[in-house]
Amino acid sequence: MSVNALPKATLTVDLNPVFTGEKVTLTCSVESDRYWTEYEWYKGNAFNNNRLSQYNRATLTVNSVKESDQGLYWCQGIRNSRPTSSSISDQVTITVKALPKATLTVDTNPVFTGEKVTLTCSAGSYSYWSYKWYKDRSNNAVTQSDRHSITGDTLIISRVEESDQGLYWCLGERTYRPTSTSISESVYMSVNALPKAKLKLYPTSPYIGETVNLTCSVNSKSNWRYNWNKDGSYIPVTQSGRVSIRENNLTIRSVEVSDQGSYRCQGDRQHRPTSTSTSNQVSITVKALPKATLTVDPNPVFTGEKVTLTCSVGSYSVWTRYDWYKDNTFYQSIASQYNRAILTINSVKESDKGLYWCQGIRNSRPTSSSISNQVTITVYDLPSAVSLTVHPNRTQHFTRTSVSLSCEEKGNSTGWRLMRYTDRGTESGCVSYNGTIEGSTCNIRTTLIQDSGVYWCESGSGENSNAVNIT
């Protein structure tokens, strides 16, 4: 009797060892005969029923290997005709290795809006990894953007926003086995809002020349320094003639139209959070002061006349007083008597000529009007009623010649006489021993040296004509 050996079964494995998540294929081949109707698979000294129910063919494929798939495998071919089975194959041990572990770290957590945060993904072994990043869902991959930068093993998020808050994880990939790391454990990144800065303005609608105060307050934390912005431009923290910054207050004195604009503030400091949010916007609109107008009646004016200056303000009411100015100086002596809208000078003198302006003052805002237009008051001397004329018309005369001095009247003036001043004092002008008076004329027939002097005409009321020096 001859005994034949059963056909030999051989088991091969395409990948061994294999990493979790990979696909592995086991192939059972019988060396002779054909038509093996099914194949039985064994693992760990036990018939692999569940594998048999799915894989009774010559190949057994495990699509996503788990650690539980590690172990000892063998196979056997089965058919209906003799020989009804092959030999049992050699045993093959499949080794399952864990994927390299990916670890995700976040340098700052929680993070404040506007800050920069760096996420780092590291694999415990192997090299040449490229990394993928995911947020909230496994199919929500984080990609490059103007705020998201992926370089090597880092994801940098600049100018963090509240929408960046959430669960993050990472995964390493490469072209050769193992082609990926495990998925890292998820890390929840919290995003906190920056402390809020609030800007207040007083007064809300300033008038030209008033003082304006802006106050920047922060709802939490301490040790803040404050930056100020006007129309998007940084206002440096420097003192000037009108602008001063102290702690959280910006003060503008004698506000001008050029100070109009949109203002914001922001706090900063050395430790986190290093800044506040940018404050609400406050707009400064500078109003013109009520207009003061100065009128003068009459102008020009003659000495001795009365002149009236009127200061009128075009809007608002109840102006409690009026300030008057002359030649760039506060008109103190007049102001003590005339703090009303009308300034009257009853008997004008030559010293009253000059440049005048006025300003309205009151207790409630606006506390003053604009400074009025400037008006120059011109003062003329009253014209003399008589003038002195000399014939011949010269100031130097020779002795023993004739001279005629006449007080020539203007208008209805009467009672003029000729006067003379010499080293002896004031005396009648027609005292020469050979002088005669005809009406208002003094005729000196023969001049002498003692006839020299200053001559003028004088009225009974004390008015004087022009003076003539005769030698």
Side-chain angles (χ1 to χ4, degrees), residues 294-297 307-311 324 341-345 356 377:
L294 174 60
T295 56
V296 179
D297 182 45
V307 65
T308 300
L309 297 85
T310 302
C311 190
W324 295 90
I342 297 176
L343 172 61
T344 302
I345 304 174
Y356 288 77
I377 294 181

Side-chain angles (χ1 to χ4, degrees), residues 94-197:
I94 294 181
T95 301
V96 178
K97 292 185 176 182
L99 289 171
K101 186 177 180 180
T103 302
L104 173 60
T105 56
V106 181
D107 67 342
T108 304
N109 197 17
V111 62
F112 290 93
T113 54
E115 289 184 324
K116 180 177 76 173
V117 63
T118 300
L119 295 84
T120 303
C121 191
S122 58
S125 58
Y126 302 96
S127 56
Y128 304 109
W129 296 105
S130 60
Y131 294 90
K132 286 189 175 180
W133 301 86
Y134 299 90
K135 178 177 181 289
D136 295 330
R137 300 187 309 275
S138 60
N139 61 346
N140 186 18
V142 180
T143 57
Q144 297 270 9
S145 71
D146 61 331
R147 293 191 307 107
H148 298 78
S149 173
I150 299 173
T151 304
D153 60 351
T154 60
L155 164 63
I156 298 175
I157 305 175
S158 304
R159 305 184 305 281
V160 168
E161 299 175 356
E162 289 187 13
S163 61
D164 294 317
Q165 179 170 286
L167 277 172
Y168 287 80
W169 59 89
C170 65
L171 173 72
E173 292 183 339
R174 62 180 190 168
T175 56
Y176 41 93
R177 299 180 63 242
T179 57
S180 72
T181 66
S182 63
I183 295 174
S184 72
E185 291 184 4
S186 60
V187 174
Y188 188 85
M189 188 176 76
S190 297
V191 178
N192 294 338
L194 289 172
K196 187 176 182 181

Side-chain angles (χ1 to χ4, degrees), residues 221-241:
K221 311 296 181 183
S222 58
N223 301 322
W224 295 107
R225 298 185 303 268
Y226 295 88
N227 297 319
W228 302 88
N229 289 273
K230 176 176 181 266
D231 297 330
S233 299
Y234 177 65
I235 300 176
V237 184
T238 55
Q239 304 297 323
S240 69

